[in-house]
Amino acid sequence: MNFSKIVCLFIFFFGVSVFGQKDSIVAKPLNQYPPESLKTDEFGNKYFYDERQKIKVYEINGEPVVVLDELVLVNKPRFNNQLDKNYYYFLNKKLNRVYPLFVTALQQYRDIQADMTDMDSKAKRKFVRERQNMLADQYEKQLRDLTTTEGQVFAKLMNRATGKNVYEIIKEMRGGWSAFWWNVKGKMADIDLKDQYNPHKNRTDEFIESLLQSNWNSGYLQPYPGAGDFKARK
């Protein structure tokens, strides 16, 4: 078992063990894409647009060449160097892939909280187990396809929306013992389950916040319910 590739997305799915893939862009020669799916740019060059990865795939001398989507940026952070800028656009690709799954997970989590309002401890445990099995069947394939970085972005989004980190949500739903063991597994994967989303103190969080605002303002993504309520502590 390669713990460095574990994606700790059990935030909401209560224990589905997910193994991340390498964070890499997959591109094939143009002749391996359906001809009807190819497009032509303003210079007459043919390309394939990969919606999932948010990339354009061209071909030069028989080799695939990838061009990342550009964003109309709002609240763009200051980049220290080109590597910094590349990382920003890399995170944008990850955010766009994870966001629809996050919105669904957030609504499910809020529904579960509402359903458990009047339950005692025993009824809550039974209810969570039943929902865990249902959600695992429904979402496990999607979660297993996520990369480690996409899992971390998912965790950041859930923390932003709920105000709770991974450890706190597991403890709420599964109890302190489960939270303790998941925390141990997280440390083995170099992931801090108690990490808080804070754009003022964390460079990655600053980039995610900027990308969220840019995507919302440009219409690429729709704000989730309550998105405007977030206030980060400086």
Side-chain angles (χ1 to χ4, degrees):
M1 182 182 295
N2 188 344
F3 286 104
S4 67
K5 293 184 179 180
I6 293 177
V7 180
C8 295
L9 279 187
F10 39 75
I11 305 173
F12 171 70
F13 299 97
F14 319 131
V16 177
S17 182
V18 183
F19 296 86
Q21 304 167 346
K22 291 181 180 179
D23 291 312
S24 60
I25 294 174
V26 178
K28 301 178 293 186
L30 289 186
N31 61 13
Q32 295 186 27
Y33 295 104
E36 63 274 12
S37 68
L38 300 182
K39 300 179 181 180
T40 304
D41 66 16
E42 64 269 29
F43 303 108
N45 300 309
K46 288 190 175 299
Y47 68 92
F48 172 76
Y49 183 70
D50 189 317
E51 179 65 33
R52 184 181 68 81
Q53 300 187 90
K54 304 297 180 184
I55 61 172
K56 292 179 180 178
V57 181
Y58 288 86
E59 190 170 299
I60 298 177
N61 296 328
E63 295 292 332
V65 176
V66 170
V67 178
L68 294 174
D69 270 5
E70 291 291 326
L71 274 181
V72 178
L73 298 177
V74 180
N75 299 325
K76 181 177 67 174
R78 185 177 65 183
F79 301 120
N80 297 324
N81 48 49
Q82 185 61 42
L83 186 62
D84 221 22
K85 187 175 182 180
N86 290 345
Y87 180 59
Y88 184 85
Y89 285 105
F90 169 79
L91 280 177
N92 181 60
K93 179 170 72 76
K94 301 303 180 183
L95 173 64
N96 274 268
R97 187 180 180 206
V98 166
Y99 194 80
L101 182 61
F102 151 70
V103 172
T104 300
L106 178 62
Q107 186 58 53
Q108 294 270 13
Y109 173 71
R110 288 172 172 172
D111 289 345
I112 287 175
Q113 280 189 310
D115 291 341
M116 293 195 309
T117 300
D118 298 323
M119 294 183 185
D120 58 28
S121 298
K122 183 177 180 180
K124 285 182 180 179
R125 287 196 297 271
K126 180 181 178 182
F127 179 72
V128 168
R129 282 197 301 270
E130 291 173 349
R131 290 300 292 267
Q132 175 185 347
N133 294 333
M134 182 192 73
L135 293 170
D137 291 341
Q138 187 174 357
Y139 293 105
E140 185 170 4
K141 175 59 171 64
Q142 290 173 271
L143 295 179
R144 287 189 183 278
D145 287 342
L146 296 182
T147 67
T148 300
T149 300
E150 288 164 351
Q152 292 167 342
V153 170
F154 184 97
K156 294 287 189 177
L157 293 174
M158 286 296 287
N159 186 212
R160 185 190 191 280
T162 66
K164 301 171 186 176
N165 58 37
V166 177
Y167 181 88
E168 291 167 334
I169 293 179
I170 296 174
K171 185 175 180 180
E172 175 188 3
M173 294 296 172
R174 296 295 301 273
W177 189 243
S178 290
F180 168 78
W181 280 113
W182 277 114
N183 193 38
V184 171
K185 292 179 182 181
K187 288 180 179 178
M188 295 176 72
D190 293 323
I191 298 175
D192 184 2
L193 306 191
K194 297 182 180 181
D195 194 21
Q196 297 286 345
Y197 179 80
N198 192 325
H200 297 298
K201 297 182 179 180
N202 184 289
R203 185 67 165 164
T204 296
D205 295 355
E206 178 189 359
F207 282 1
I208 292 174
E209 187 65 25
S210 173
L211 288 166
L212 282 171
Q213 299 299 332
S214 295
N215 277 285
W216 289 337
N217 285 316
S218 60
Y220 287 117
L221 299 174
Q222 294 301 312
Y224 61 85
D229 298 336
F230 172 74
K231 297 290 186 295
R233 293 181 180 179
K234 295 185 177 180

